[in-house]
Coordinates of all heavy atoms in Angstrom, one line a residue:
A24 N 77.3 98.6 115.7 CA 78.5 98.0 115.3 C 79.3 99.0 114.4 O 80.5 99.1 114.6 CB 78.3 96.7 114.5
T25 N 78.6 99.7 113.6 CA 79.3 100.7 112.7 C 79.9 101.8 113.6 O 81.0 102.3 113.3 CB 78.4 101.3 111.7 OG1 77.9 100.2 110.9 CG2 79.0 102.3 110.8
A26 N 79.1 102.2 114.6 CA 79.6 103.3 115.5 C 80.9 102.9 116.2 O 81.7 103.8 116.6 CB 78.5 103.6 116.5
R27 N 81.1 101.7 116.4 CA 82.4 101.2 117.1 C 83.6 101.2 116.2 O 84.7 101.2 116.6 CB 82.2 99.8 117.7 CG 81.3 99.9 118.9 CD 81.2 98.5 119.5 NE 79.8 98.1 119.3 CZ 79.4 96.8 119.4 NH1 80.3 95.9 119.6 NH2 78.2 96.5 119.2
L28 N 83.4 101.2 114.9 CA 84.5 101.2 113.9 C 85.2 102.6 114.0 O 84.5 103.6 113.9 CB 84.0 100.9 112.5 CG 83.5 99.5 112.2 CD1 83.0 99.5 110.8 CD2 84.6 98.5 112.4
K29 N 86.5 102.6 114.1 CA 87.2 103.8 114.1 C 88.2 104.0 112.9 O 88.5 105.1 112.6 CB 88.1 103.9 115.4 CG 87.2 103.8 116.7 CD 86.4 105.0 116.8 CE 85.6 104.9 118.1 NZ 84.4 105.6 118.2
S30 N 88.5 102.8 112.3 CA 89.5 102.9 111.2 C 89.1 101.9 110.1 O 88.4 100.9 110.4 CB 90.9 102.4 111.7 OG 91.4 103.3 112.7
V31 N 89.5 102.3 108.9 CA 89.3 101.4 107.8 C 90.7 101.3 107.1 O 91.3 102.3 106.8 CB 88.3 101.9 106.8 CG1 88.1 100.9 105.6 CG2 86.9 102.0 107.5
I32 N 91.2 100.1 106.8 CA 92.5 99.9 106.2 C 92.3 99.3 104.8 O 91.5 98.3 104.6 CB 93.3 99.0 107.1 CG1 93.5 99.5 108.5 CG2 94.7 98.7 106.4 CD1 94.1 98.6 109.5
F33 N 92.9 99.9 103.8 CA 92.8 99.4 102.4 C 94.2 99.0 102.0 O 95.2 99.7 102.3 CB 92.3 100.6 101.5 CG 91.0 101.1 101.8 CD1 90.8 102.2 102.6 CD2 89.9 100.5 101.3 CE1 89.5 102.7 102.9 CE2 88.6 100.9 101.5 CZ 88.4 102.1 102.3
D34 N 94.2 98.0 101.1 CA 95.4 97.6 100.4 C 95.4 98.6 99.2 O 94.3 99.0 98.7 CB 95.4 96.2 100.0 CG 96.6 95.8 99.2 OD1 97.7 96.3 99.5 OD2 96.5 95.0 98.2
F35 N 96.5 98.8 98.6 CA 96.5 99.7 97.4 C 96.3 99.0 96.1 O 95.3 99.1 95.4 CB 97.7 100.6 97.4 CG 97.7 101.6 96.2 CD1 96.9 102.8 96.4 CD2 98.4 101.4 95.1 CE1 96.8 103.7 95.3 CE2 98.3 102.3 94.0 CZ 97.5 103.5 94.2
D36 N 97.4 98.2 95.7 CA 97.3 97.5 94.4 C 96.2 96.4 94.4 O 96.1 95.6 95.3 CB 98.7 96.8 94.2 CG 99.8 97.8 93.9 OD1 99.5 98.8 93.1 OD2 100.9 97.7 94.4
S37 N 95.4 96.5 93.4 CA 94.3 95.6 93.1 C 93.1 95.7 94.1 O 92.2 94.9 94.1 CB 94.8 94.1 93.1 OG 95.7 94.0 92.0
T38 N 93.2 96.7 95.0 CA 92.0 97.0 95.9 C 91.6 98.4 95.6 O 90.4 98.6 95.1 CB 92.4 96.8 97.4 OG1 92.8 95.5 97.6 CG2 91.2 97.1 98.3
L39 N 92.4 99.4 95.9 CA 92.1 100.7 95.5 C 92.4 100.9 94.0 O 91.6 101.6 93.3 CB 92.8 101.7 96.3 CG 92.5 101.8 97.8 CD1 93.3 102.8 98.5 CD2 91.0 102.0 98.0
S40 N 93.4 100.4 93.5 CA 93.8 100.5 92.1 C 93.3 99.2 91.4 O 93.0 98.2 92.0 CB 95.3 100.7 91.9 OG 96.0 99.5 92.3
A41 N 93.3 99.3 90.1 CA 93.0 98.2 89.2 C 94.2 98.1 88.2 O 94.0 98.6 87.1 CB 91.7 98.4 88.5
P42 N 95.3 97.6 88.6 CA 96.5 97.7 87.8 C 96.4 97.2 86.3 O 95.7 96.2 86.0 CB 97.5 96.7 88.5 CG 97.0 96.7 89.9 CD 95.5 96.8 89.8
K43 N 97.0 98.0 85.5 CA 97.0 97.8 84.0 C 98.4 97.4 83.6 O 99.3 98.0 84.1 CB 96.5 99.0 83.3 CG 95.1 99.5 83.6 CD 94.1 98.5 83.3 CE 92.7 99.0 83.7 NZ 91.8 97.9 84.2
Y44 N 98.5 96.6 82.6 CA 99.7 96.3 82.0 C 100.0 97.4 80.9 O 99.2 97.7 80.1 CB 99.7 94.9 81.3 CG 101.1 94.5 80.7 CD1 102.0 93.9 81.6 CD2 101.4 94.7 79.4 CE1 103.3 93.6 81.1 CE2 102.7 94.3 78.9 CZ 103.6 93.8 79.8 OH 104.8 93.4 79.3
L45 N 101.2 98.0 81.1 CA 101.5 99.1 80.2 C 102.6 98.6 79.2 O 103.7 98.4 79.6 CB 102.1 100.3 81.0 CG 101.1 100.9 82.0 CD1 101.7 102.1 82.8 CD2 99.8 101.4 81.3
D46 N 102.2 98.5 77.9 CA 103.1 98.0 76.9 C 104.3 98.8 76.8 O 105.4 98.2 76.5 CB 102.3 97.9 75.5 CG 101.3 96.8 75.5 OD1 101.5 95.8 76.1 OD2 100.2 97.0 74.8
R47 N 104.2 100.1 76.9 CA 105.4 101.0 76.7 C 106.5 100.7 77.7 O 107.6 101.0 77.5 CB 105.0 102.4 76.6 CG 104.5 103.1 77.9 CD 104.1 104.5 77.6 NE 103.6 105.2 78.8 CZ 104.2 106.2 79.4 NH1 105.3 106.6 79.0 NH2 103.6 106.7 80.4
F48 N 106.1 100.2 78.9 CA 107.1 99.8 79.9 C 107.4 98.3 79.9 O 108.4 97.9 80.5 CB 106.6 100.3 81.3 CG 106.5 101.7 81.4 CD1 105.3 102.4 81.4 CD2 107.7 102.5 81.6 CE1 105.2 103.7 81.6 CE2 107.6 103.9 81.8 CZ 106.3 104.5 81.7
G49 N 106.4 97.5 79.4 CA 106.6 96.1 79.5 C 106.4 95.6 80.9 O 106.9 94.6 81.3
K50 N 105.6 96.4 81.7 CA 105.4 96.1 83.1 C 104.0 96.4 83.5 O 103.3 97.2 82.9 CB 106.3 96.9 84.0 CG 107.8 96.7 83.8 CD 108.6 97.6 84.7 CE 110.1 97.5 84.4 NZ 110.9 98.4 85.3
W51 N 103.6 95.8 84.6 CA 102.3 96.1 85.3 C 102.5 97.4 86.1 O 103.5 97.6 86.7 CB 101.8 95.0 86.2 CG 101.3 93.8 85.5 CD1 102.0 92.7 85.1 CD2 100.0 93.7 85.0 NE1 101.2 91.9 84.4 CE2 99.9 92.4 84.4 CE3 98.8 94.4 85.1 CZ2 98.8 91.9 83.8 CZ3 97.7 93.9 84.6 CH2 97.6 92.7 83.9
A52 N 101.5 98.2 86.1 CA 101.5 99.5 86.8 C 101.1 99.2 88.3 O 99.9 99.3 88.6 CB 100.6 100.5 86.2
I53 N 102.1 98.8 89.1 CA 101.8 98.6 90.5 C 102.8 99.5 91.3 O 103.8 99.9 90.8 CB 101.9 97.1 90.9 CG1 103.3 96.5 90.5 CG2 100.8 96.3 90.3 CD1 103.5 95.1 90.9
A54 N 102.4 99.7 92.6 CA 103.1 100.7 93.4 C 104.5 100.4 93.8 O 105.1 101.2 94.4 CB 102.2 101.1 94.6
D55 N 105.0 99.3 93.4 CA 106.4 99.0 93.7 C 107.3 99.3 92.5 O 108.5 99.0 92.5 CB 106.6 97.6 94.3 CG 106.3 96.5 93.3 OD1 105.7 96.8 92.2 OD2 106.6 95.3 93.6
K56 N 106.7 99.8 91.5 CA 107.4 100.1 90.2 C 107.6 101.6 90.1 O 106.8 102.3 89.4 CB 106.7 99.6 89.0 CG 106.4 98.1 89.1 CD 107.6 97.3 88.7 CE 107.3 95.8 88.5 NZ 107.6 95.0 89.6
L57 N 108.5 102.2 90.8 CA 108.6 103.7 90.9 C 108.8 104.3 89.5 O 108.2 105.3 89.2 CB 109.8 104.1 91.8 CG 110.1 105.6 92.0 CD1 108.9 106.2 92.7 CD2 111.3 105.8 92.8
D58 N 109.7 103.7 88.7 CA 109.9 104.2 87.3 C 108.6 104.3 86.5 O 108.4 105.3 85.8 CB 111.0 103.4 86.6 CG 110.6 101.9 86.4 OD1 109.9 101.4 87.3 OD2 111.1 101.3 85.4
V59 N 107.8 103.3 86.6 CA 106.5 103.2 85.9 C 105.6 104.2 86.4 O 105.0 105.1 85.7 CB 105.9 101.8 85.9 CG1 104.5 101.8 85.3 CG2 106.9 100.8 85.2
F60 N 105.3 104.2 87.7 CA 104.3 105.0 88.4 C 104.6 106.5 88.1 O 103.7 107.3 87.9 CB 104.2 104.7 89.9 CG 103.0 104.0 90.2 CD1 102.6 102.8 89.6 CD2 102.2 104.5 91.2 CE1 101.5 102.2 90.0 CE2 101.0 103.8 91.6 CZ 100.7 102.7 91.0

Side-chain angles (χ1 to χ4, degrees):
T25 301
R27 286 185 248 163
L28 292 176
K29 302 292 182 205
S30 300
V31 180
I32 303 169
F33 297 95
D34 180 40
F35 186 77
D36 289 317
S37 297
T38 300
L39 294 180
S40 71
K43 303 294 179 216
Y44 187 81
L45 300 177
D46 288 326
R47 68 185 177 110
F48 294 104
K50 297 178 183 178
W51 286 92
I53 55 176
D55 65 349
K56 307 280 190 257
L57 182 64
D58 59 328
V59 173
F60 252 55

